[in-house]
């Protein structure tokens, strides 16, 4: 087989190029061969020249043409990656559609600081959907064994904002849901207007829990739910001791820390973030984090599939059970990979073997370490 075709097929088999890109390169080789044959026929009709010199020139022409077309194909691939990144960032921005466009940054106010505290104490006697949205400060949320939801609201604001404090929060406690919200567009500067939320929630009465903040920490501990959804921008998310059927995380320009957490489905959509997961316990996991880092300290046996996508990303997965069979699909382009030599990587997928771990990683222009 032609050496160039064998090289292309090996690249395809290793996942370094797609099927379409392989076809483009094979077509480029075919065009070079056709052009070479046509040139040979023309030359035979017109004149004879030294065979050695002619073969040398043809080899150089073919090599130069192949290199040129290969470079063009790589350029097309990188172009597609850039388009993907642009589209991804646009889509991620749409995910945070509830962030008001009129929420512009304000300078520090020089007026005195005032402090007020409020308490919400409501009985919860059945499973509900809980919605907590605080764009003005941190959220500390803990599950407890009581049958009430206890919310402490600590408000700090500059005196010039006094006219905005009236009715600045509201909540609804219905048969199916509990919703806590705050007035929009009071201030984007937490030095002028800040709300600290400390929430105790009955952990056994949560159907779904939606938590959202902006420019400040979110901490969620000791929760059992059917679904957990958390969003944050420019600040950390920390979840600990969570048991949920489904977990959905959206994060822009922050950090995410997960520990002692078990779920059937974990989805993380992040950008420019640092993700740290302590012992991944998720049957199916999908992580997207361009321009960030992903550090998974270990993978529990309940995890069956792990899919990671990034661009300019650092991916590190440590302490994998070396006896566990692994299907490793590396679709990265222009990345550096370091795979532990003692890992049990297999090629044939046995559907009857429930112990198999499927790793699907695409970290273009990045670094991958698996050990």
């Amino acid at each position: 087989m032609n050496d160039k075709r064998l090289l292309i097929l090996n690249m395809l088999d290793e996942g370094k190029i797609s099927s379409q890109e392989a076809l483009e390169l094979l077509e480029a080789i075919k065009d070079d061969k056709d052009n070479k044959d046509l040139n040979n026929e023309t030359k035979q009709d017109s004149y004879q020249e030294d065979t050695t010199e002619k073969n040398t020139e043809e080899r150089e022409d073919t090599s130069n043409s192949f290199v040129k077309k290969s470079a063009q194909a790589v350029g097309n691939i990188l172009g597609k990656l850039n388009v993907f990144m642009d589209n991804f960032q646009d889509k991620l921005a749409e995910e945070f559609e509830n962030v008001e466009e009129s929420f512009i940054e304000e300078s520090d106010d020089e007026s005195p600081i005032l402090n007020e505290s409020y308490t919400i104490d409501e009985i919860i006697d059945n499973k509900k959907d809980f919605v907590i949205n605080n764009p003005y400060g941190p959220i500390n949320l803990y599950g407890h064994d009581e049958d009430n939801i206890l919310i402490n609201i600590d408000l700090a604001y500059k005196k010039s904002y006094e006219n905005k404090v009236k009715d600045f929060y509201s909540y609804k406690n219905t048969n199916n849901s509990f919703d806590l919200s705050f007035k929009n567009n009071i201030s984007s500067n937490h030095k002028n207007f800040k709300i600290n939320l400390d929430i105790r929630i009955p952990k056994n009465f949560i159907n779904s829990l939606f938590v959202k903040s902006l420019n400040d920490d979110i901490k969620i501990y000791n929760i059992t739910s059917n679904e957990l959804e958390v969003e944050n921008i420019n600040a950390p998310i920390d979840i600990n001791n969570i048991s949920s059927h489904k977990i959905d995380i959206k994060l822009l320009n922050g950090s995410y820390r997960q520990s002692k957490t078990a779920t059937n489905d974990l989805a993380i959509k992040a950008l420019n973030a640092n993700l740290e997961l302590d012992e991944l316990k998720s049957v199916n996991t999908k992580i997207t984090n361009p321009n960030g880092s992903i550090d998974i300290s270990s993978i529990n046996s309940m995890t069956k599939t792990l899919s990671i996508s990034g661009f300019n990303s650092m991916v590190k997965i440590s302490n994998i059970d070396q006896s566990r069979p692994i299907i490793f699909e590396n679709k990265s382009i222009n990345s550096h990979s370091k795979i532990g030599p003692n890992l049990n990587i297999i090629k044939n997928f046995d559907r009857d073997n429930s112990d198999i771990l499927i790793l699907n990683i695409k970290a273009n222009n990045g670094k991958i370490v698996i050990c």
Side-chain angles (χ1 to χ4, degrees):
M1 181 180 292
N2 186 287
D3 289 342
K4 297 184 183 66
R5 293 183 181 181
L6 182 60
L7 175 62
I8 293 169
L9 293 177
N10 286 337
M11 291 170 67
L12 176 62
D13 182 60
E14 294 171 0
K16 294 181 179 179
I17 59 175
S18 67
S19 300
Q20 180 61 36
E21 291 157 356
L23 289 175
E24 291 176 1
L25 291 174
L26 290 172
E27 186 65 26
I29 293 176
K30 181 177 181 298
D31 290 343
D32 288 338
K33 184 178 184 301
D34 291 344
N35 290 335
K36 184 181 71 174
D37 292 342
L38 180 61
N39 289 336
N40 285 343
E41 292 176 1
T42 302
K43 289 177 182 179
Q44 287 176 0
D45 292 340
S46 59
Y47 59 89
Q48 295 290 330
E49 64 180 11
D50 182 77
T51 303
T52 302
E53 181 180 352
K54 181 179 67 175
N55 290 341
T56 301
E57 290 176 352
E58 288 176 354
R59 283 196 298 271
E60 290 176 352
D61 290 342
T62 301
S63 176
N64 291 337
S65 178
F66 177 73
V67 170
K68 181 179 179 180
K69 289 182 179 291
S70 298
Q72 290 174 346
V74 172
N76 291 335
I77 295 170
L78 294 177
K80 292 176 183 177
L81 290 175
N82 290 331
V83 171
F84 165 79
M85 280 299 302
D86 291 340
N87 291 338
F88 177 83
Q89 296 188 50
D90 290 341
K91 289 180 180 179
L92 192 64
E94 293 174 2
E95 296 284 355
F96 298 93
E97 58 185 5
N98 291 328
V99 178
E100 300 292 337
E101 293 181 358
S102 57
F103 218 39
I104 60 175
E105 185 64 27
E106 299 176 352
S107 59
D108 292 353
D109 192 305
E110 298 301 327
S111 60
I113 297 177
L114 303 178
N115 294 277
E116 297 179 12
S117 295
Y118 303 82
T119 299
I120 301 172
D121 190 349
E122 292 275 327
I123 295 296
I124 305 296
D125 54 9
N126 63 294
K127 281 200 171 185
K128 298 185 179 186
D129 298 331
F130 291 85
V131 179
I132 310 295
N133 184 4
N134 179 20
Y136 304 113
I139 300 173
N140 296 310
L141 192 150
Y142 303 86
H144 66 177
D145 294 321
E146 307 300 324
D147 61 356
N148 67 317
I149 180 168
L150 180 63
I151 303 176
N152 293 316
I153 304 173
D154 292 326
L155 172 63
Y157 62 95
K158 298 293 181 68
K159 186 174 177 57
S160 59
Y161 286 79
E162 209 166 7
N163 63 332
K164 298 184 179 182
V165 172
K166 183 180 179 180
D167 300 326
F168 73 95
Y169 78 91
S170 63
Y171 71 92
K172 295 180 181 179
N173 185 11
T174 68
N175 188 51
N176 298 317
S177 65
F178 183 97
D179 191 333
L180 173 66
S181 60
F182 298 90
K183 276 184 180 178
N184 288 328
N185 309 325
I186 296 178
S187 174
S188 61
N189 190 331
H190 292 176
K191 293 181 179 180
N192 294 338
F193 189 94
K194 185 170 184 176
I195 298 171
N196 290 291
L197 279 184
D198 189 89
I199 302 174
R200 298 295 186 272
I201 190 169
K203 65 179 183 180
N204 295 321
F205 289 108
I206 304 172
N207 179 46
S208 65
L209 176 61
F210 174 74
V211 182
K212 184 174 181 178
S213 185
L214 175 67
N215 298 327
D216 226 317
D217 297 10
I218 295 177
K219 295 181 180 179
I220 304 175
Y221 297 157
N222 197 32
I223 293 296
T224 300
S225 67
N226 182 53
E227 184 175 356
L228 173 63
E229 184 173 347
V230 188
E231 293 186 12
N232 207 356
I233 299 177
N234 301 329
I237 297 174
D238 187 353
I239 69 173
N240 181 283
N241 195 26
I242 306 295
S243 178
S244 182
H245 180 76
K246 180 180 179 182
I247 297 177
D248 190 0
I249 305 294
K250 296 183 179 70
L251 178 63
L252 178 64
N253 299 332
S255 64
Y256 174 72
R257 171 67 189 272
Q258 172 182 305
S259 57
K260 297 180 181 179
T261 294
T263 180
N264 284 340
D265 294 291
L266 172 63
I268 302 175
K269 290 183 180 179
L271 179 64
N272 300 329
N274 296 319
L275 312 180
E276 186 177 344
L277 293 83
D278 180 20
E279 189 181 12
L280 180 63
K281 291 183 179 181
S282 172
V283 178
N284 301 300
T285 303
K286 186 174 183 180
I287 301 174
T288 305
N289 185 28
N291 296 327
S293 65
I294 302 168
D295 189 347
I296 301 175
S297 63
S298 64
I299 296 180
N300 188 271
S301 60
M302 71 176 286
T303 302
K304 303 304 178 185
T305 63
L306 171 57
S307 177
I308 296 176
S309 178
F311 190 86
N312 297 329
S313 301
M314 168 66 187
V315 178
K316 182 179 179 181
I317 305 174
S318 307
N319 301 312
I320 295 181
D321 183 358
Q322 295 184 357
S323 65
R324 185 176 186 184
I326 300 171
I327 298 289
F328 179 45
E329 300 173 353
N330 186 0
K331 299 180 180 180
S332 304
I333 298 175
N334 194 31
S335 65
H336 175 72
S337 300
K338 183 178 179 181
I339 312 301
N342 296 322
L343 294 180
N344 185 18
I345 296 178
I346 61 176
K347 292 186 177 182
N348 296 322
F349 182 71
D350 183 3
R351 296 186 179 275
D352 294 330
N353 190 345
S354 60
D355 192 38
I356 288 179
L357 171 64
I358 299 177
L359 293 180
N360 188 328
I361 299 179
K362 186 176 182 179
N364 299 322
N365 292 342
K367 184 176 181 180
I368 303 170
V369 177
I370 302 177
C371 57

